[in-house]
Amino acid sequence: MSDAIKQATLEYVIRLGDDSVVLGHRISEWVSYGPFLEEDIAYGNVALDYIGRARLYYSYAAELADDGRTEDDFPYMRSDREYRNLLLMEMPRGDFAYSQVRQLFADAYAAVMLPELVKSKDETIAAVAAKAIKETKYHLRRSRDWVLRLGDGTEESHKRTQKAVDQLWGYTHELFDMDETEQLLADNGIGVDVSKLRDAWHAMVSEILTTATLTVPDDSWAVRGGRTGYHTENLGHMLTEMQIVHRSHPGCQW
Amino acid sequence: MTSQEDNFMRKIEADEKIEPKDWMPEAYRKNLIRQMSQHAHSEVIGMQPEGNWITRAPSLRRKVVLLSKVQDEAGHGLYLYSATETLGITRAELIAALQSGEAKYASIFNYPTLTWGDVGAIGWLVDGAAIVNQVSLQRTSYGPYSRGMIRICKEESFHQRQGYEALLALANGSPEQKQMAQDSLNRFYWPALMMFGPHDSESAHSAKSMEWKIKRETNDDLRQKFIDQTVPQIEVLGLEHPDKAIKWNEERGHYDSGEIDWDEFYSVINGNGHCNRQRVEHHIAAHDEGTWVRDAITAYNEKKNAKKAQNVA
């Protein structure tokens, strides 16, 4: 592996790890706040899958970095300006409709992205993707069902769900942005060219939203910046909470 | 005694299980609903003090383990609600009783979780005390409850191990971490002993529950088991035992121990714990906030069913 590719792969794996840990953390905030007990269990499972995924990416990052850092140094010892997750993942949990719409957008993204990532020439990345594909099938079925029920449920649930769709739509554009790092990896068969996936994602999401009697928004606004560490105000607060114990005891084992 | 009562007592004495469709005295049914629902509510309310630390867990591994554990508690709650429903009461009624304060949950959860060490202490001591009780309840006379306990015990022993292991990591860590472990042990040891309930002589429900074999061992016997098993565990951690009177009694083959502060026990049960109101309010708030979601599901299903009916016609 050339140095440039190794560096790009490290950066890429950290990005994917950040996406996973941030979304997993947001979902975990629902524990004991769900609308009923069965849902607490089901949604908790999704959180577990995402945090599990983050661990796989970060331990690979530690291996690639080969500088003494461990799996936990990446999520716990970097500030929000160093995080590289997509903004969609860091938005607060909001109400149940907001979380389920975000989940649908993220799950649909995973559903179009992972089948490409599994073809990666990097065996570790391909293996993580293979495991994640199976989880995503279940995740997408779940978030799709929720959006259908909430969109086509009561007047109130419809209103809340449409509002969530409208508020989150502008954060989905950067899911399909490419930069030099990702282009280099795509060209070398390691990473995914996500710019080619928006149509498939749009078709999948539109079909679900329409069936749920919801309106697919126009592409009238877009917020970008997650991959360069230009985050919303939400991430700093999330990390403050997540990192407090770890950072208060430097160098300790848990 | 009627022939039905005779038959019921014959089964109890022969250690046969009572099943949902069997005749049972009304007081037996009521006693079971009280105990089983209290057990279910404890699992559900218990999600809060531990859930309090999911977002602050100090490593991803610990975060995953804690999240899985809290998930399991939710599963146990669900399982126990279903088992209680076999006695002719609905989950909605049970939840209403929890929220009105009519039904109780384990008072240990009225204590706050203040540090990461408390997560370990709860797994080790609180789940540990629960297991001692639940192992005994595997032989309870009501079939669905007994089977539920067998299933739940398997998972609880995993919980106890993870809690102990988390505390062991602290005890072997920095001086601050070790202090954290000692502090958690000090705060949770006595409340864990209280989980077994009042002394047998003071226990309101014990005598009848023993006669009906709902309970199989007395509060004091179960508590003694827990005290005995905990001493060597504290030694391995290298922490100080919170009970200065703890002493091996060769003659009894058990540890002698100091007296529990029962005033504190009753004070916390009666509303003076740090979290009594918080736990119930949290449950009510989440339940109320979920109303529009549950309504949406009902409305959606009705629409689907109406459509189906239309298609058939």
Side-chain angles (χ1 to χ4, degrees):
Chain A
M1 203 187 290
S2 81
D3 269 1
I5 290 191
K6 191 172 177 182
Q7 247 350 89
T9 306
L10 172 61
E11 165 71 21
Y12 190 55
V13 170
I14 290 173
R15 290 177 183 190
L16 298 176
D18 290 351
D19 285 344
S20 305
V21 86
V22 170
L23 182 56
H25 185 99
R26 283 300 187 208
I27 304 171
S28 78
E29 293 174 351
W30 274 99
V31 169
S32 83
Y33 289 94
F36 44 89
L37 214 42
E38 287 86 343
E39 177 53 28
D40 253 12
I41 298 173
Y43 210 16
N45 280 335
V46 181
L48 280 172
D49 287 342
Y50 272 97
I51 298 169
R53 214 175 278 185
R55 292 188 67 193
L56 295 172
Y57 285 128
Y58 288 139
S59 46
Y60 187 39
E63 190 187 319
L64 288 168
D66 193 25
D67 55 6
R69 276 185 288 178
T70 65
E71 164 191 312
D72 283 328
D73 286 323
F74 296 94
Y76 286 99
M77 297 305 290
R78 288 181 304 140
S79 74
D80 55 338
R81 300 282 288 128
E82 295 164 290
Y83 258 68
R84 292 291 180 266
N85 60 284
L86 297 160
L87 301 178
L88 178 71
M89 312 302 179
E90 75 197 39
M91 302 310 283
R93 76 176 165 99
D95 68 5
F96 194 72
Y98 190 87
S99 269
Q100 297 318 317
V101 168
R102 180 243 303 274
Q103 199 61 45
L104 173 69
F105 291 170
D107 292 341
Y109 181 65
V112 296
M113 194 271 210
L114 292 171
E116 300 303 317
L117 192 64
V118 79
K119 299 177 200 158
S120 174
K121 284 183 188 161
D122 183 303
E123 283 174 17
T124 310
I125 293 178
V128 178
K131 179 173 181 290
I133 283 179
K134 289 183 204 149
E135 297 164 352
T136 289
K137 264 189 199 146
Y138 159 75
H139 298 169
L140 181 62
R141 196 169 66 218
R142 190 191 152 282
S143 54
R144 178 181 183 275
D145 282 355
W146 267 121
V147 169
L148 291 179
R149 286 183 286 180
L150 296 178
D152 196 13
T154 62
E155 199 179 317
E156 181 180 10
S157 71
H158 178 88
K159 216 169 111 191
R160 285 177 186 254
T161 312
Q162 184 66 56
K163 187 177 168 193
V165 169
D166 295 341
Q167 287 189 336
L168 286 165
W169 192 258
Y171 295 97
T172 63
H173 300 285
E174 72 164 354
L175 271 57
F176 307 99
D177 288 349
M178 291 292 283
D179 64 3
E180 272 179 31
T181 302
E182 296 197 20
Q183 197 58 56
L184 175 70
L185 294 175
D187 293 344
N188 283 278
I190 293 170
V192 176
D193 185 349
V194 287
S195 68
K196 293 180 180 154
L197 301 178
R198 176 143 204 268
D199 288 349
W201 180 88
H202 196 279
M204 187 186 290
V205 168
S206 298
E207 189 269 326
I208 295 167
L209 294 182
T210 310
T211 310
T213 72
L214 297 160
T215 307
V216 180
D218 296 329
D219 296 330
S220 57
W221 60 281
V223 182
R224 298 182 145 89
R227 293 295 192 223
T228 59
Y230 186 38
H231 290 279
T232 68
E233 291 176 352
N234 302 292
L235 185 64
H237 292 281
M238 195 200 103
L239 293 182
T240 299
E241 184 174 348
M242 187 175 123
Q243 297 175 341
I244 179 71
V245 179
H246 186 96
R247 288 211 191 206
S248 301
H249 301 266
C252 284
Q253 300 297 311
W254 302 96
Chain B
M1 216 182 261
T2 66
S3 62
Q4 282 175 319
E5 279 176 289
D6 277 343
N7 193 35
F8 172 81
M9 281 315 295
R10 182 196 58 73
K11 279 191 200 163
I12 295 280
E13 275 150 29
D15 272 342
E16 284 174 36
K17 296 295 177 214
I18 306 299
E19 294 299 335
K21 291 208 166 98
D22 295 346
W23 183 89
M24 61 186 85
E26 203 41 41
Y28 176 85
R29 183 189 303 274
K30 274 198 179 141
N31 197 329
L32 268 175
I33 289 176
R34 181 189 57 77
Q35 182 171 333
M36 290 170 68
S37 69
Q38 180 172 332
H39 197 159
H41 297 326
S42 301
E43 300 280 0
V44 172
I45 294 294
M47 292 168 70
Q48 292 180 34
E50 293 184 281
N52 185 33
W53 283 92
I54 290 174
T55 53
R56 288 177 288 175
S59 75
L60 290 187
R61 185 173 75 89
R62 291 285 173 208
K63 200 184 193 70
V64 166
V65 172
L66 180 58
L67 189 49
S68 315
K69 179 185 184 240
V70 176
Q71 297 257 98
D72 284 349
E73 310 293 3
H76 296 171
L78 207 52
Y79 199 68
L80 282 162
Y81 280 135
S82 303
T84 313
E85 283 184 307
T86 63
L87 292 161
I89 189 163
T90 66
R91 190 160 129 197
E93 288 172 300
L94 295 170
I95 288 174
L98 168 68
Q99 296 187 342
S100 73
E102 187 196 323
K104 301 279 182 232
Y105 54 88
S107 190
I108 188 93
F109 298 126
N110 291 321
Y111 291 80
T113 49
L114 302 177
T115 71
W116 171 250
D118 293 358
V119 170
I122 287 187
W124 168 38
L125 297 171
V126 176
D127 289 36
I131 295 170
V132 169
N133 193 29
Q134 287 165 355
V135 164
S136 173
L137 284 171
Q138 292 179 351
R139 296 186 296 122
T140 191
S141 56
Y142 188 55
Y145 195 25
S146 161
R147 289 188 289 275
M149 286 301 106
I150 291 168
R151 185 166 139 175
I152 286 171
C153 276
K154 285 184 191 150
E155 289 181 351
E156 291 288 0
S157 56
F158 151 72
H159 295 171
Q160 190 191 18
R161 274 202 307 278
Q162 68 79 29
Y164 188 70
E165 197 215 322
L167 223 49
L168 192 61
L170 295 180
N172 292 332
S174 70
E176 290 79 12
Q177 284 178 307
K178 189 165 185 179
Q179 176 51 36
M180 193 189 280
Q182 182 71 56
D183 174 49
S184 298
L185 170 60
N186 293 349
R187 280 183 289 110
F188 278 93
Y189 179 76
W190 292 105
L193 295 190
M194 296 175 196
M195 285 174 68
F196 295 96
H199 284 311
D200 300 337
S201 52
E202 309 286 324
S203 178
H205 304 286
S206 271
K208 205 66 188 164
S209 290
M210 291 292 288
E211 186 191 330
W212 280 332
K213 295 187 180 174
I214 293 175
K215 279 170 78 161
R216 301 307 305 257
E217 290 168 90
T218 70
N219 294 353
D220 286 328
D221 285 349
L222 292 167
R223 184 166 19 241
Q224 184 69 58
K225 273 189 194 173
F226 179 73
I227 289 171
D228 291 346
Q229 78 179 32
T230 306
V231 171
Q233 293 171 342
I234 294 175
E235 281 169 8
V236 170
L237 290 172
L239 298 177
E240 270 178 47
H241 201 296
D243 183 355
K244 299 303 166 217
I246 201 88
K247 194 167 178 262
W248 178 251
N249 183 324
E250 192 63 48
E251 204 174 309
R252 291 203 307 129
H254 290 293
Y255 282 93
D256 291 337
S257 52
E259 192 45 80
I260 291 167
D261 181 355
W262 292 108
D263 289 343
E264 180 192 311
F265 175 74
Y266 289 110
S267 170
V268 172
I269 281 194
N270 290 327
N272 302 305
H274 276 44
C275 301
N276 300 54
R277 271 152 298 276
Q278 180 189 328
R279 300 293 185 233
V280 174
E281 282 308 312
H282 176 135
H283 192 276
I284 292 173
H287 191 75
D288 287 354
E289 170 57 25
T291 305
W292 70 267
V293 180
R294 296 189 297 274
D295 289 348
I297 298 175
T298 310
Y300 177 81
N301 289 341
E302 278 168 6
K303 283 185 204 175
K304 291 293 137 191
N305 289 339
K307 215 176 232 173
K308 235 184 254 168
Q310 211 173 24
N311 288 344
V312 172

